[in-house]
Amino acid sequence: MLSCKHTIAQGTDYLDKELGFWRKVEMKMHLMICVNCRRYVKQLKQTVVMLSKGQFKQPSEQQVEQLKQEYQDVASKQ
Amino acid sequence: MTEESLPSEDELVERLKNNDAALFERVVKEYHSSMFAVAYSIAGPAIADEVVQEAWISAINALHKFEGRSALKSWLIRITANEAKTRLRKESRSVSLEAVDENWATDTRFTEKGHWAGGNPEWDISSPDDLLAADELQDCVKKHMVKLPDNQQQIINLRDVGGLDMDTICNILEITASNARVLLHRARDKMQQVVARFQRTGEC
Ligand SMILES: [Zn+2]
C-alpha cells in the first residue's frame, strides 16, 4: 500500500500523467480510500489550473500601442 | 481572460503574418501576462518589463519564419525565456529573493503515523472556476510565487503559467528531467499550501 507521503510526493507526476502504469494504479487505489490525499491532489490540480489561467501583469496602453506600431512597421516592409 | 477567445492556431498565425494589427493587439493582451511572469522569474523584477518588450520585438521580426510547429504561445514563451537568459548573463540580479523553507523531510502536514493532514474539508465544494473568481487569492498566489527559490519560480512559471513542455523547459534551464520534476512539485506544493490556507482562513 502506497503511503500518504509517497502519494503526495507523486502528486505532480500524477497530474502530468508521468507515472508508469503500476504507479498510477497504486496511486488511484490510495486515492480511493484516502480522503485527505484525494483532497490534496484536487487542490494541487486547482492550483495548476489557476496558474494557467491567471493574469499576472497586463501591458500598459502605451506598451500595447508601441508594439502595435512596431508590428505594423515590420509588416509593411515585408 | 480577454473578452473573446482568439481564433484557431492556424488562422491566428496566418492572419498575424498578413498584417492584422487588431488581432496582434489582442494577442499582446492575451499573452503578455504569461511572458512577464516568465521574464520576471528568470531575469528578476528590475528588467522583466524590458525583457518582455525585447521578446515581442524579436517575435515580430521573426514572425514570418514561424512555422507553427509549436503553439504560438509556446513560441513566445521560449523567446521570452531565452531573452531573459541572455539579459541575465549581462547583468547581475538586483534583488535577492527571500528564501522559502525547504524542509521537505520534516513536513508538519503529516501526522505521526505518516498520514496526510494538510488539506481542508471545506474546500471540496469549490470548483476551479470559483477559485478564479477570487481576485484576492490570485494576488495572494502572486505574492508567494515570487518568494519561491529562483529555480522553483522559473520552472513553475515556464510550466504552469507559460504552458511549455518539460523537454523544452529542461533545455532552457539546463537541468535534468528528474531534477525538473522534483523542483516543479516543490513549487506546486508550496502554492497548494498558499491556496489551502487562503481557503481555510481567508488570509494570505
Ligand atoms: Zn493518503
Side-chain angles (χ1 to χ4, degrees):
Chain A
M1 184 66 200
L2 207 58
S3 69
C4 287
K5 202 159 190 163
H6 211 127
T7 303
I8 298 306
Q10 292 189 160
T12 280
D13 288 345
Y14 179 75
L15 289 184
D16 291 359
K17 302 192 170 28
E18 290 284 336
L19 292 178
F21 179 77
W22 288 111
R23 285 283 182 128
K24 197 170 69 193
V25 170
E26 275 183 319
M27 179 113 178
K28 282 194 167 162
M29 280 170 61
H30 184 100
L31 292 179
M32 236 156 27
I33 58 153
C34 181
V35 64
N36 289 327
C37 284
R38 201 154 63 229
R39 189 175 302 122
Y40 173 85
V41 169
K42 192 175 169 189
Q43 288 177 335
L44 199 66
K45 188 173 180 181
Q46 287 175 315
T47 305
V48 171
V49 169
M50 184 174 72
L51 291 176
S52 72
K53 296 192 176 164
Q55 284 295 345
F56 289 84
K57 187 177 188 254
Q58 288 297 346
S60 68
E61 283 300 319
Q62 194 199 357
Q63 273 176 312
V64 175
E65 277 313 310
Q66 265 178 20
L67 290 172
K68 218 163 110 180
Q69 194 57 51
E70 178 77 20
Y71 172 78
Q72 284 171 315
D73 289 350
V74 171
S76 65
K77 278 182 218 139
Q78 279 163 5
Chain B
M1 269 163 284
T2 40
E3 325 73 57
E4 49 180 323
S5 51
L6 293 166
S8 71
E9 279 289 308
D10 289 349
E11 188 192 336
L12 180 65
V13 173
E14 190 57 35
R15 281 169 60 185
L16 285 179
K17 285 180 178 179
N18 285 293
N19 199 6
D20 187 336
L23 182 62
F24 176 76
E25 183 176 337
R26 280 170 62 200
V27 167
V28 170
K29 288 179 176 165
E30 181 78 20
Y31 296 142
H32 189 93
S33 155
S34 306
M35 290 163 71
F36 182 84
V38 165
Y40 187 107
S41 70
I42 296 175
I47 58 171
D49 257 321
E50 283 169 56
V51 166
V52 178
Q53 190 78 6
E54 283 305 311
W56 276 117
I57 291 178
S58 305
I60 288 167
N61 284 286
L63 191 60
H64 65 284
K65 288 184 288 189
F66 179 67
E67 288 173 345
R69 261 177 291 181
S70 63
L72 182 68
K73 181 179 177 185
S74 304
W75 185 67
L76 291 169
I77 295 290
R78 267 203 330 269
I79 292 174
T80 308
N82 287 326
E83 182 67 36
K85 273 171 66 184
T86 309
R87 284 294 298 270
L88 191 57
R89 278 189 211 107
K90 291 179 197 157
E91 305 170 43
S92 62
R93 286 190 73 156
S94 52
V95 175
S96 78
L97 297 163
E98 187 187 325
V100 169
D101 178 26
E102 283 282 12
N103 217 341
W104 195 244
T106 56
D107 195 326
T108 55
R109 293 171 301 164
F110 294 94
T111 64
E112 280 170 27
K113 286 178 181 160
H115 290 298
W116 173 249
N120 58 301
E122 317 88 273
W123 215 46
D124 278 346
I125 46 164
S126 53
S127 71
D129 286 343
D130 295 333
L131 266 181
L132 295 178
D135 285 347
E136 273 178 73
L137 177 56
Q138 288 255 338
D139 290 343
C140 180
V141 167
K142 278 183 241 175
K143 198 173 110 189
H144 285 274
M145 285 267 274
V146 299
K147 292 185 191 168
L148 291 172
D150 287 359
N151 51 10
Q152 292 182 31
Q153 208 184 132
Q154 288 160 5
I155 202 154
I156 198 170
N157 275 294
L158 288 166
R159 175 69 174 163
D160 292 334
V161 180
L164 293 189
D165 62 66
M166 286 302 258
D167 284 348
T168 308
I169 293 171
C170 290
N171 275 328
I172 291 170
L173 298 180
E174 293 160 41
I175 54 176
T176 63
S178 57
N179 195 358
R181 300 221 66 84
V182 170
L183 289 172
L184 178 63
H185 185 63
R186 285 184 184 167
R188 282 181 180 175
D189 180 80
K190 291 211 192 81
M191 289 306 102
Q192 180 273 342
Q193 290 176 50
V194 168
V195 170
R197 185 175 59 231
F198 187 91
Q199 291 287 328
R200 192 171 59 244
T201 65
E203 278 163 30
C204 183

